[in-house]
Amino acid sequence: MQVQELKTIINESKRIVFFGGAGVSTASGIPDFRSANGLYHEKYHRTFSPEEMVSHMFFTDYTEDFFKFYKQKLVYPEAKPNACHIALAKLEKEGKLKAVVTQNIDGLHQEAGSKKVFELHGSVKRNYCTQCHTFYDADYVMQAKGIPYCEKCGGIIKPDVVLYGEGLDNRVVSQAIEAIENADTLIIGGTSLIVYPAAGLIDYFRGNKLVLINKSQTATEGHADLVIHEDIAKVMQAAVLDA
Ligand code: ZN
């Protein structure tokens, strides 16, 4: 019945914005990298957590280990868009959805056909030489043995992913805020909303309907018009794709 309620909300909305987290990628077989094991390092005589292994410091000081972890735990070349990605692309095509704001870095929204996607944490699909800024795709980085180097100048190639210790792209953040400010409905899916900057961005929403879809409980359920504790891909399949 909650799906019916979501259907009604979607039908009555004209400017939906979707805000998504790690749970959106789960159905595409992409686990949260934070569930990976830590790594012990001699130099500091301690173990680094998955978060530390995707930090700016780790990229700079342990570049080879950074890419080992990055290639194993952050890039999934075989992953395909799931029902959530496909449903959102469909709603955009129909003119009902204005933007997707995502914390994910897998580029699956674009692969599903979404055009307006604000990637708060960047994308594994884009990579740049740290010296001459030449662009490289994900395949180039994945096929490189160890550290990927630029063909033109020999510089180290860095994924266009926001690492811990790095700031978000202000332009992307302000575009995301603008989209959320202008939305009549905000659907938040696959995130528990505790991670910065998710919680802060949601405060800009001034529209009618706030919908939360997440397997486990989220932080701000009291403000929501509709809360669904289910897998986001299943919910979007039922609400948008199943006629
Ligand atoms: Zn270069």
Side-chain angles (χ1 to χ4, degrees):
M1 275 307 98
Q2 281 180 311
V3 167
Q4 192 52 51
E5 223 176 311
L6 177 58
K7 266 188 185 176
T8 307
I9 290 176
I10 290 173
N11 281 337
E12 291 170 354
S13 302
K14 292 189 175 72
R15 298 182 311 279
I16 301 169
V17 167
F18 180 86
F19 188 107
V24 171
S25 300
T26 312
S28 293
I30 302 178
D32 193 335
F33 77 90
R34 284 165 287 203
S35 58
N37 290 325
L39 181 74
Y40 183 78
H41 248 294
E42 288 294 336
K43 185 176 165 188
Y44 287 124
H45 299 291
R46 69 176 184 91
T47 300
F48 287 91
S49 67
E51 284 91 342
E52 286 172 315
M53 280 190 276
V54 291
S55 69
H56 185 80
M57 180 279 289
F58 207 75
F59 173 78
T60 317
D61 291 5
Y62 298 108
T63 314
E64 200 168 345
D65 285 318
F66 168 87
F67 277 106
K68 203 172 158 193
F69 184 79
Y70 175 81
K71 289 181 196 181
Q72 276 178 8
K73 302 292 181 188
L74 275 88
V75 191
Y76 292 83
E78 307 300 322
K80 291 274 167 283
N82 62 56
C84 178
H85 301 107
I86 294 164
L88 294 169
K90 183 171 183 267
L91 290 174
E92 184 185 30
K93 215 171 184 181
E94 291 168 358
K96 296 186 84 60
L97 182 133
K98 296 306 173 193
V100 170
V101 180
T102 182
Q103 296 176 286
N104 300 329
I105 56 171
D106 48 46
L108 290 180
H109 285 294
Q110 290 91 333
E111 212 176 305
S114 285
K115 304 284 181 232
K116 228 8 174 339
V117 184
F118 300 120
E119 296 168 310
L120 296 173
H121 296 161
S123 172
V124 300
K125 308 264 173 176
R126 299 184 299 268
N127 305 272
Y128 295 95
C129 169
T130 51
Q131 300 291 328
C132 73
H133 305 289
T134 298
F135 169 86
Y136 290 93
D137 62 15
D139 284 348
Y140 185 90
V141 170
M142 292 305 278
Q143 279 157 22
K145 286 206 171 64
I147 301 169
Y149 291 105
C150 177
E151 282 178 337
K152 289 183 183 166
C153 77
I156 294 170
I157 296 166
K158 185 180 180 292
D160 189 14
V161 166
V162 180
L163 303 177
Y164 283 85
E166 295 179 339
L168 300 184
D169 184 332
N170 282 330
R171 212 172 47 111
V172 176
V173 172
S174 50
Q175 284 173 321
I177 287 174
E178 201 188 327
I180 290 169
E181 277 177 337
N182 291 315
D184 59 0
T185 291
L186 180 62
I187 304 175
I188 301 170
T191 172
S192 51
L193 280 179
I194 39 176
V195 189
Y196 173 85
L201 286 184
I202 304 316
D203 290 340
Y204 289 92
F205 179 59
R206 298 277 178 271
N208 301 321
K209 299 284 184 189
L210 178 62
V211 180
L212 299 180
I213 307 166
N214 196 44
K215 267 189 171 171
S216 54
Q217 279 214 323
T218 57
T220 54
E221 292 189 352
H223 307 295
D225 298 281
L226 175 63
V227 179
I228 306 179
H229 288 304
E230 257 281 16
D231 177 72
I232 179 81
K234 273 187 204 160
V235 174
M236 295 306 279
Q237 170 79 44
V240 179
L241 301 178
D242 296 344

